[in-house]
């Protein structure tokens, strides 16, 4: 049985202490392979916790709009799992960790061109190609709509981020063609790469991310709008994919110390979901070598420990 969520006062204390403790940490660097991301002020740091009753508690830069990047993969996965079912998703994309970096071509070479996880670039493009729609624009609208429904407000594409990504995403285009040749790309590869890239180029705040995560913590119902977005039976599949690959090559270390399914993005966003309780969202642009927000990881670990959220140590 899941214990009840921690009291809001304890959460406030924990996030304020985490913010104070880690805001002076200057380790890591903004991602620079996407030019826009290099220009985001590195000092920004916000933490928001979203509860399953819709309450959000925040500290720091929680209204700053940042690029969702890889965290978008979770919501496209949710869309496709709803459309084609969990078994088809596992068969066509996979449900295993790759143990290799998020944009690894080697991972594909080692696994006969199968992406293994919808949360690495290859698997996310493969998943984008599975969105059921009449054309690429229709698929894109559905991806954007899914992000908006999770956030409970209209999420928008940043033309600036998208332009920055679309003009530098040659590596991802190469991966898309490899997937096509191995039979794991289910639409035109460049179209899939395009809508995947747009999905990474939307702007969210840490507060949005807390609500998006709280929707997963709440079994697929957005706790603010009360809309059911994902069938409850699909939520554990999404969370298990996050657990295996959410922080790329650091997914094991993350689990070892935080004990929660998570997902990060190279824009500096990071999300941890405590099922049945709440979600922790943080935003801080400097990343470690694995591509995960340094302050975000420290904050999530601290908050998880303070509030005893580790799913392997219930109660
Ligand atoms: N748009 C980025 C890419 O495809 C997302 C990567 C990430 O956040 O990990 O490289």
């Amino acid at each position: 049985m899941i214990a009840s969520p921690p009291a809001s006062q304890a959460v406030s204390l924990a996030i304020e202490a985490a913010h104070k403790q880690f805001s002076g940490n200057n380790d890591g660097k903004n991602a620079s392979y996407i030019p826009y991301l290099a220009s985001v002020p590195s000092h920004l740091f916000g933490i928001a916790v979203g509860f399953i009753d819709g309450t959000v508690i925040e500290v720091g830069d929680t209204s700053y709009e940042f690029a969702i990047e890889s965290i978008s993969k979770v919501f496209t996965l949710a869309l496709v799992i709803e459309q084609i079912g969990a078994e088809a998703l596992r068969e066509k994309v996979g449900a295993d960790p790759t143990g290799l970096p998020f944009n690894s071509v080697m991972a594909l070479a080692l696994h006969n061109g199968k992406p293994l996880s919808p949360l690495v670039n290859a698997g996310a493009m493969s998943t984008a190609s599975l969105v059921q729609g009449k054309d690429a624009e229709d698929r894109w609208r559905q991806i954007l709509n899914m992000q908006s429904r999770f956030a409970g407000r209209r999420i928008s594409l940043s033309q600036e981020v998208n332009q920055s990504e679309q003009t530098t995403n040659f590596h991802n285009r190469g991966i898309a063609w490899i997937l096509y040749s191995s039979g794991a790309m289910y639409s035109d590869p460049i179209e899939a790469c395009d809508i995947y890239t747009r999905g990474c180029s939307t702007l969210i705040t840490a507060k949005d991310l807390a609500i998006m995560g709280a929707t997963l913590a709440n079994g697929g119902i957005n706790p603010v709008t009360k809309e059911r977005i994902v069938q409850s039976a699909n939520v554990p599949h999404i969370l298990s994919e996050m657990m295996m690959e959410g922080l790329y090559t650091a997914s094991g270390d993350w689990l070892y110390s935080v004990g929660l399914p998570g997902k990060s993005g190279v824009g500096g966003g990071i999300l941890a979901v405590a099922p049945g309780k709440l979600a922790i969202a943080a935003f801080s642009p400097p990343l470690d070598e694995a591509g995960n927000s340094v302050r975000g990881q420290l904050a999530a670990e601290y908050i998880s420990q303070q509030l005893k959220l580790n799913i392997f140590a219930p109660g």
Side-chain angles (χ1 to χ4, degrees):
M1 205 181 89
I2 295 174
S4 42
S8 55
Q9 201 189 0
V11 174
S12 290
L13 286 173
I15 67 172
E16 270 159 34
H19 193 267
K20 196 164 167 206
Q21 194 172 332
F22 304 120
S23 53
N25 183 313
N26 292 317
D27 294 342
K29 275 203 183 90
N30 286 34
S32 56
Y33 76 103
I34 297 168
Y36 173 90
L37 300 179
S39 70
V40 178
S42 303
H43 69 270
L44 291 169
F45 184 26
I47 306 171
V49 166
F51 289 84
I52 56 166
D53 69 358
T55 314
V56 179
I57 298 184
E58 311 164 53
V59 61
D61 302 304
T62 51
S63 323
Y64 186 91
E65 293 200 310
F66 61 91
I68 189 171
E69 296 300 342
S70 206
I71 307 169
S72 65
K73 292 166 177 156
V74 172
F75 309 108
T76 304
L77 164 63
L79 173 63
V80 170
I81 250 187
E82 287 289 297
Q83 291 183 333
I84 70 169
E87 277 318 308
L89 187 280
R90 189 212 314 244
E91 187 240 314
K92 290 179 181 302
V93 182
D96 270 313
T98 66
L100 287 161
F102 66 94
N103 58 359
S104 175
V105 171
M106 177 100 78
L108 288 172
L110 289 171
H111 303 109
N112 298 320
K114 189 171 179 188
L116 298 192
S117 166
L119 301 185
V120 293
N121 288 11
M125 286 189 278
S126 178
T127 306
S129 78
L130 285 164
V131 174
Q132 307 294 291
K134 63 179 190 313
D135 55 25
E137 284 312 307
D138 184 31
R139 286 196 280 275
W140 158 241
R141 270 193 300 275
Q142 292 185 55
I143 289 171
L144 185 60
N145 192 35
M146 198 57 159
Q147 291 184 14
S148 300
R149 290 168 69 206
F150 263 97
R153 74 167 181 106
R154 182 117 307 271
I155 297 296
S156 305
L157 178 75
S158 160
Q159 299 295 353
E160 194 184 353
V161 178
N162 189 43
Q163 160 85 3
S164 188
E165 299 221 16
Q166 299 278 7
T167 50
T168 51
N169 66 352
F170 310 113
H171 188 86
N172 282 344
R173 289 189 227 174
I175 291 174
W177 279 114
I178 295 172
L179 291 166
Y180 188 67
S181 77
S182 65
M185 175 57 79
Y186 308 97
S187 73
D188 177 272
I190 293 305
E191 265 179 28
C193 183
D194 172 32
I195 60 171
Y196 156 77
T197 306
R198 287 193 242 174
C200 292
S201 304
T202 60
L203 297 179
I204 58 165
T205 65
K207 183 180 179 191
D208 291 329
L209 190 54
I211 295 167
M212 293 165 108
T215 300
L216 290 170
N218 195 33
I221 298 176
N222 182 314
V224 176
T225 64
K226 313 288 181 213
E227 184 195 0
R228 172 165 291 288
I229 297 170
V230 183
Q231 292 173 58
S232 56
N234 283 334
V235 172
H237 298 302
I238 297 166
L239 295 177
S240 66
E241 296 274 17
M242 290 167 69
M243 199 157 219
M244 289 182 280
E245 190 64 65
L247 278 87
Y248 307 119
T249 48
S251 299
D253 280 318
W254 161 270
L255 201 52
Y256 198 86
S257 51
V258 181
L260 296 171
K263 186 73 198 89
S264 66
V266 293
I270 196 159
L271 173 67
V273 177
K277 295 181 181 166
L278 52 78
I280 306 164
F283 161 62
S284 168
L287 311 178
D288 64 13
E289 289 290 309
N292 300 314
S293 169
V294 173
R295 293 186 202 117
Q297 287 177 92
L298 290 168
E301 179 176 350
Y302 177 85
I303 295 163
S304 174
Q305 282 173 2
Q306 289 297 307
L307 303 177
K308 300 191 176 13
L309 296 172
N310 189 321
I311 59 172
F312 302 113

